Amino acid sequence: MTIPEHIARDVVDPKAYADGKRVDEAFRWLRANAPLDVAELEGFDPFWVVTRHADILNIERQNDLFHNEDRSATLTTIESDKRVREMMGGKPNILRSLVQMDNPDHMQYRRLTQAWFMPQNLRKLEDRVREIARGFIDQMAEKGTECDFARDVAFLYPLHVVMEVLGVPPIDEPRMLKLTQELFGTQDPDVNRAGKEVGGTEDTLKMINETIFDFMTYFNAMTEDRRQNPREDLASVIANGAVYGQPLGHLEAMSYYIIAATAGHDTTSNTTAGAMWALAENPDQFRKVKDDLSLIPSMVEESIRWETPVKHFMRTATDDTEIAGRKIARNDWLFLAYPSGNRDEAVFEDPYSFKVDRSPNKHVAFGYGAHVCLGQHLARMEMRVLWEELLPRLKSVELAGKPSRTQANFVSGPKTVPIRFKMN
Ligand code: HEM
């Protein structure tokens, strides 16, 4: 059996993610009727859509059997895949960061920064992160009683944090924000490089290449600088690091900066904006966490589940195998539907409700296994600190208009969250 075409369309359609409900409904239908099945859509190679929490974990924990690098690590069209392979000497990915690597390289490259991202190291940063959070909250208070929480706070705060840890000076932050939005938002006319709907493969790849070129020009200069003048920042770790006893390859080093500079804030921004949206719509939950601030860590966890900003990653089977009674063949391509795993009725009670005290909350928003999000502790710390500073001052919040979401099937979330609030 294959997935009905209209359902499969919603799984890939960037507009279904902007709509929110449409993609939720498609995943709900799939979990109930075809939890592990094949999507056959014009323009795409067939791929399995994995919608159950248990199956996502089962695949993610078997990193030798399900690879990231053999085919594109994100969903792509046949035409785009062909063009990328032409450009990259037969390889299916334009970048080669951790998410486009398998062992043994993955382990070697991950080891380079793993310790840096551990809670022990991050504790040193917490005071500075708190200072940054307070700065944004003061700016929000200065706005009076209304703001667009997505644009005014949620997009800027994680950007500032990750740029500071990476070593990018504040003056370059607007450029980094623009380039990140261009990279993740190629399907969204409001943020992509062309500033309009772009359907064709040529034009889309041209935009992506130009954006990556700009990133690389920037980070090349940074590598040179950190080799001459090493600092305490993450850029210095990448610029001066060694893998197999050699400096990182050029593509690998550039990809490392780019993943940190992009995955490091858009995801956290989407989650933070989504949390405010949920609090504004659920006054009882707002009250609950305000009355008991010790609930903040569990509220942060719930907002990560609720928003699930990374909508998928792809895996490729390295051998014939079986998952949940279905026969998967070598070279089959699998779409891990994280938002679906995080609404799985078999795991989450009342999954469509935002509950600040949800426990347990074993969401899959950070993935699982060898590729589990490297920045998860940083993301949690940043969000906890923001809410610890903001909630005691925020007396009330409600929506001041209709929020909107970005149009993208890879990383997406709220684009605007207009709120009316009272603060002291
Ligand atoms: C990988 C989600 C924040 C850096 C991933 C993956 C997901 C994810 C789903 C793939 C996991 C897998 O394949 O199993 C998120 C979410 C975030 C977040 C939901 C925030 C709420 C961050 C931050 C950083 C970061 C703040 C860094 C500054 C990375 C890196 C990887 C990764 C480097 C690749 C890891 C690997 O393949 O070994 N993230 N992320 N992420 N994330 Fe995050």
Side-chain angles (χ1 to χ4, degrees), residues 8 13 28 34 41 46-47 66 79 114 124 162 198 249 261 265 275 278 301 310 324 327 340 342 361 397:
D13 182 2
R28 192 206 297 255
L41 282 169
F47 59 93
F66 296 102
E79 206 186 331
Q114 176 109 344
K124 292 190 278 195
V162 84
V198 173
H265 62 94
E301 221 50 47
V310 177
K327 288 200 179 341
S340 176
N342 283 344
N361 193 349
V397 60

Side-chain angles (χ1 to χ4, degrees), residues 144-161:
T145 55
E146 281 197 21
C147 76
D148 178 347
F149 188 75
R151 292 194 181 175
D152 296 333
V153 181
F155 288 166
L156 303 178
Y157 161 66
L159 175 76
H160 191 75
V161 172

Side-chain angles (χ1 to χ4, degrees), residues 60 98 106 110 263-264 267 271 310 313 315 365-368 371 373 375:
E60 288 238 50
L98 295 177
H106 176 257
R110 185 155 167 138
T267 47
T271 307
V310 177
F313 266 112
R315 293 291 190 270
F366 287 126
Y368 191 71
H371 287 276
C373 177

Side-chain angles (χ1 to χ4, degrees), residues 60 68 97-101 106 110 117 162 165 234 256 259-261 263-265 267-269 271 304 308-310 312-313 315 336 338 364-376 378-380 382-383:
E60 288 238 50
N68 285 39
S97 72
L98 295 177
V99 291
Q100 293 101 358
M101 281 184 195
H106 176 257
R110 185 155 167 138
F117 279 103
V162 84
V165 300
L234 192 55
Y256 226 125
I259 195 172
H265 62 94
T267 47
T268 317
S269 299
T271 307
I304 303 167
T308 313
V310 177
H312 78 271
F313 266 112
R315 293 291 190 270
L336 304 176
Y338 299 120
V364 286
F366 287 126
Y368 191 71
H371 287 276
V372 68
C373 177
L374 184 62
Q376 59 173 318
L378 176 61
R380 286 192 177 105
E382 267 176 73
M383 292 190 274

Side-chain angles (χ1 to χ4, degrees), residues 321-380:
T321 186
E322 207 176 289
I323 297 279
R326 304 300 312 263
K327 288 200 179 341
I328 314 272
R330 184 172 171 273
N331 207 37
D332 276 2
W333 208 27
L334 299 98
F335 179 106
L336 304 176
Y338 299 120
S340 176
N342 283 344
R343 296 286 185 277
D344 189 337
E345 299 77 0
V347 176
F348 300 100
E349 201 187 304
D350 205 2
Y352 294 90
S353 297
F354 178 80
K355 297 181 180 180
V356 294
D357 55 354
R358 182 179 291 280
S359 173
N361 193 349
K362 295 209 172 307
H363 64 74
V364 286
F366 287 126
Y368 191 71
H371 287 276
V372 68
C373 177
L374 184 62
Q376 59 173 318
H377 305 296
L378 176 61
R380 286 192 177 105

